[in-house]
Amino acid sequence: MKKEYKNQIFQFLLSHELGIDNFEIKEKQLISFSHIGAREGVVISYKPAPEYLFCFLEDNDSFGHFIPASVDFQPKLSLRTLTDDSIFFQDAFDLFRLWLERDIADFIKNTSEVDLWASYQRAALANNITTIDYEDVTGFTHREKESIKIALAELRLLITERYAENDIHREVINHQIRYLTDRVEVLNKADWKGILTNTIISICIALSLDSQKGAELLQLVIQVFQFAPGLHN
């Protein structure tokens, strides 16, 4: 791609509301299609969701013509050409702008939209867990077990996302949370609370978390389970 075209894309993204830092641009990418064969081109991907990308595929006979292709915001993600033949750069650039205004904007709107069903279910889960008396020496009810298992699954994802630095860390987290999940079936409420506390300490040690990160992890557990007083008894 000629420098004047690359510079036009650069200037456009530099002034775009999404910011140029949210995009990655790769040149000389070889992409194959059954109907046009293999073509080199410039590929622009949206960093927060790199599966969404736009391509300026070069015409083998002209510096000023391109075949635009994109991965759009659709249920089945696939790279498709937007025209049957090569078109002028400016026409391809207009399609790129439309892709940002339509597909990337729709993706951002969808991800930022509040999931009312999920919010309701989380609130119900928090309410269920809050009503559990963790000083009780009786066993958990079926409903309490299910609520705790859901909370543990969420906790595993959060700890892994925030603190796991490698596969060993991930395995430790998976093993410890799986142990807690299994123990909720056989322990009474008071004993399980003690196991929970010891398990969180074990995770902190295994992940070599300092005191600040350890405190953050404890707060994360409290937020998920909503029974802060019980953790300190």
Side-chain angles (χ1 to χ4, degrees):
M1 178 181 284
K2 294 173 66 175
K3 289 182 180 179
E4 64 177 287
Y5 300 144
K6 288 191 295 183
N7 289 342
Q8 185 173 339
I9 295 172
F10 174 84
Q11 292 294 341
F12 174 72
L13 292 178
L14 187 64
S15 60
H16 197 277
E17 61 183 0
L18 292 177
I20 194 169
D21 291 335
N22 276 318
F23 296 92
E24 181 176 15
I25 300 179
K26 295 182 179 179
E27 297 186 67
K28 298 296 183 182
Q29 298 297 298
L30 187 64
I31 301 176
S32 297
F33 291 92
S34 59
H35 60 297
I36 62 172
R39 299 288 183 103
E40 281 191 349
V42 171
V43 176
I44 303 172
S45 59
Y46 181 57
K47 285 183 180 179
E51 62 270 24
Y52 293 102
L53 49 86
F54 191 97
C55 307
F56 291 86
L57 303 175
E58 297 177 354
D59 187 303
N60 294 328
D61 300 318
S62 171
F63 284 120
H65 288 74
F66 299 86
I67 296 179
S70 64
V71 175
D72 302 333
F73 183 61
Q74 295 180 348
K76 184 178 181 180
L77 298 179
S78 61
L79 181 63
R80 64 185 184 93
T81 56
L82 304 180
T83 59
D84 294 330
D85 300 308
S86 59
I87 58 178
F88 288 116
F89 168 77
Q90 196 59 51
D91 294 326
F93 181 73
D94 288 341
L95 291 175
F96 170 62
R97 293 195 299 180
L98 179 61
W99 176 75
L100 289 178
E101 295 169 3
R102 182 191 59 197
D103 295 281
I104 298 303
D106 285 348
F107 166 78
I108 294 172
K109 180 181 178 182
N110 183 68
T111 53
S112 61
E113 188 82 18
V114 175
D115 188 335
L116 296 179
W117 283 104
S119 297
Y120 174 79
Q121 290 170 338
R122 282 194 297 269
L125 170 64
N127 183 63
N128 290 341
I129 295 176
T130 304
T131 60
I132 298 174
D133 179 6
Y134 292 90
E135 302 304 321
D136 193 347
V137 294
T138 62
F140 292 104
T141 66
H142 175 74
R143 185 179 182 184
E144 289 170 341
K145 289 177 182 178
E146 292 306 307
S147 296
I148 289 176
K149 288 177 182 178
I150 293 172
L152 287 172
E154 180 179 354
L155 185 64
R156 179 183 64 81
L157 292 174
L158 291 172
I159 295 177
T160 300
E161 179 181 318
R162 300 188 186 186
Y163 301 106
E165 297 181 354
N166 50 54
D167 289 339
I168 295 177
H169 285 178
R170 283 184 280 273
E171 180 57 32
V172 167
I173 295 168
N174 289 337
H175 174 76
Q176 296 286 9
I177 298 300
R178 186 165 55 247
Y179 176 75
L180 280 173
T181 303
D182 292 340
R183 293 293 89 189
V184 78
E185 292 287 349
V186 297
L187 295 178
N188 64 48
K189 298 173 185 178
D191 288 344
W192 188 85
K193 188 196 72 175
I195 293 292
L196 172 63
T197 304
N198 291 335
T199 299
I200 298 306
I201 294 174
S202 297
I203 291 175
C204 290
I205 294 174
L207 271 56
S208 301
L209 301 183
D210 58 27
S211 57
Q212 179 180 346
K213 288 186 177 180
E216 291 175 357
L217 177 55
L218 178 59
Q219 287 301 314
L220 184 63
V221 176
I222 292 171
Q223 290 171 17
V224 171
F225 281 90
Q226 298 291 305
F227 58 97
L231 289 177
H232 301 289
N233 291 338

